Amino acid sequence: MDLDVFVTAHRAEWDRLEELLRRRRRLTGAEADELVALYQRTSTHLSLVQSSAPDPALTGTLTSLVARARSAVTGTRRATWRDMGRFLAAGFPAAVYRARHWWIPTALLSTLVAVLIGWWIGAHPEVRSAIAAPEQLREMTRPGGQYETYYSSHPAASFAAQVWTNNAQAAAICLIFGAFLGLPVLWVLWQNMLNIGIGIGLMASAGRLDTFLGLILPHGLLELTAVFVAAGTGLRLGWTVVDPGPRSRRRALAEEGRAAIGMALGLALVLFVSGVIEGFVTPSGLPTWGRIAIGVAAELAFLAYVYVLGGRAARAGEVGDVDAEDRSSEAPAAA
């Protein structure tokens, strides 16, 4: 495409759109229709320039013009409580449901890794001695030791807030940096599974695996599920870079990235619930079966939320993306 000829051919349309935007509050009906038509035409021009002759100056000018025209045509839209309700009732669970083919295998493989690490540590005294001195290991695993007092070492409210912050950061790393081919996601998963595997191995070697599971299961079921969902979504985002499918790579990343950001907000709420359980239920005086029952109930409630509400919304076409009117305009591009 000859850029100079293209600019000469369409400059008058852009100038006319600029003029209409300057006095958009005083337009006649015919002029309003003309503004809409020029906005659509200029959007197409911008797409053609970006795909065929990407000139930075012209692209910047047309991008600004299209954005202003879009605002004039569609008006300003503000988020409402209804949007939040729709997101929690349909958008978020549908996004988690759609990503199930990624996070369920991630959960199964990660759990297997943690179990194998725990078996390796529990079955090999030389591995345990490389972790810490025997006296330190006894201090960690004895009744009333560090593994048990960890959950009651701080006031419940501040401990819950700290746990929520740490877990939310881990989930955010998975979701935001998943586009880097998923490598940060694998690092987060490895760190989490390594810590759990060490705990399993050390407590099993001390004959106290039941105590360890009684401490970790009440909050860990929901907490780890949230981490696995974030990790699976991050891995899917990383795979989108490699294979965007029938969509353009730019469009695929935009769509999956917006869904991932929305999922981060939803998972923050899930992790808040698990943090409350870890801060108030895990160190409580409830019997072990009672604490585990609360954790299982929270996990089943989340899975039902995803598979019932999310499955229904996904089958209705919900993908967890923002509404169509809030997305960037998709104009046809030259082949």
Side-chain angles (χ1 to χ4, degrees):
M1 183 175 70
D2 190 316
L3 195 59
D4 292 333
V5 173
F6 185 82
V7 171
T8 301
H10 300 291
R11 171 67 69 184
E13 294 175 301
W14 304 337
D15 291 342
R16 176 59 176 166
L17 179 58
E18 183 74 46
E19 178 189 351
L20 293 174
L21 288 173
R22 280 198 298 267
R23 56 186 188 86
R24 62 184 180 180
R25 297 184 184 278
R26 304 187 305 276
L27 297 180
T28 65
E31 287 174 331
D33 291 339
E34 183 184 5
L35 187 148
V36 173
L38 287 172
Y39 157 62
Q40 294 172 333
R41 213 172 300 159
T42 305
S43 296
T44 302
H45 297 162
L46 174 59
S47 180
L48 289 170
V49 170
Q50 290 175 324
S51 61
S52 302
D55 178 78
L58 181 59
T59 299
T61 299
L62 291 181
T63 298
S64 175
L65 184 60
V66 168
R68 290 164 52 212
R70 181 173 184 269
S71 177
V73 170
T74 62
T76 302
R77 184 176 183 276
R78 295 182 179 179
T80 64
W81 286 109
R82 180 177 298 177
D83 295 323
M84 178 60 72
R86 179 182 173 280
F87 168 73
L88 293 177
F92 172 59
V96 178
Y97 180 83
R98 287 180 63 244
R100 68 192 185 283
H101 298 302
W102 285 89
W103 62 262
I104 291 178
T106 298
L108 295 176
L109 289 174
S110 298
T111 302
L112 178 61
V113 168
V115 170
L116 290 176
I117 292 174
W119 169 82
W120 184 52
I121 292 173
H124 297 82
E126 67 277 10
V127 177
R128 297 196 297 274
S129 63
I131 295 174
E135 297 77 13
Q136 293 175 307
L137 296 180
R138 282 193 294 271
E139 178 60 30
M140 286 190 288
T141 58
R142 68 175 177 81
Q146 294 175 10
Y147 270 111
E148 291 187 38
T149 58
Y150 169 75
Y151 296 101
S152 57
S153 57
H154 297 88
S158 61
F159 183 70
Q162 180 183 354
V163 167
W164 175 66
T165 301
N166 292 338
N167 290 330
Q169 287 177 344
I173 290 174
C174 292
L175 292 167
I176 295 173
F177 295 103
F180 294 95
L181 301 180
L183 297 179
V185 178
L186 298 177
W187 179 82
V188 170
L189 283 175
W190 170 251
Q191 291 296 317
N192 277 273
M193 295 306 102
L194 179 62
N195 289 334
I196 293 174
I198 290 175
I200 291 175
L202 294 181
M203 291 293 277
S205 67
R208 309 195 66 231
L209 181 59
D210 56 338
T211 300
F212 179 77
L213 295 178
L215 290 171
I216 198 172
L217 288 179
H219 63 273
L221 290 172
L222 187 60
E223 177 184 300
L224 287 175
T225 299
V227 171
F228 293 145
V229 169
T233 303
L235 291 173
R236 184 180 66 174
L237 186 60
W239 183 250
T240 301
V241 177
V242 179
D243 181 14
R247 302 168 291 180
S248 68
R249 183 169 281 102
R250 179 179 177 181
R251 179 180 176 183
L253 282 174
E255 291 178 354
E256 299 299 340
R258 287 192 300 262
I261 291 174
M263 195 176 287
L265 299 176
L267 288 178
L269 296 177
V270 176
L271 288 169
F272 174 77
V273 175
S274 72
V276 170
I277 295 175
E278 187 168 1
F280 291 90
V281 176
T282 299
S284 71
L286 291 172
T288 300
W289 67 264
R291 289 184 279 113
I292 293 178
I294 291 174
V296 170
E299 174 73 0
L300 292 177
F302 177 71
L303 293 178
Y305 168 69
V306 169
Y307 276 86
V308 177
L309 290 183
R312 183 187 306 150
R315 287 188 291 272
E318 178 65 59
V319 297
D321 200 353
V322 297
D323 291 335
E325 61 266 27
D326 293 326
R327 303 173 198 168
S328 300
S329 299
E330 291 289 340

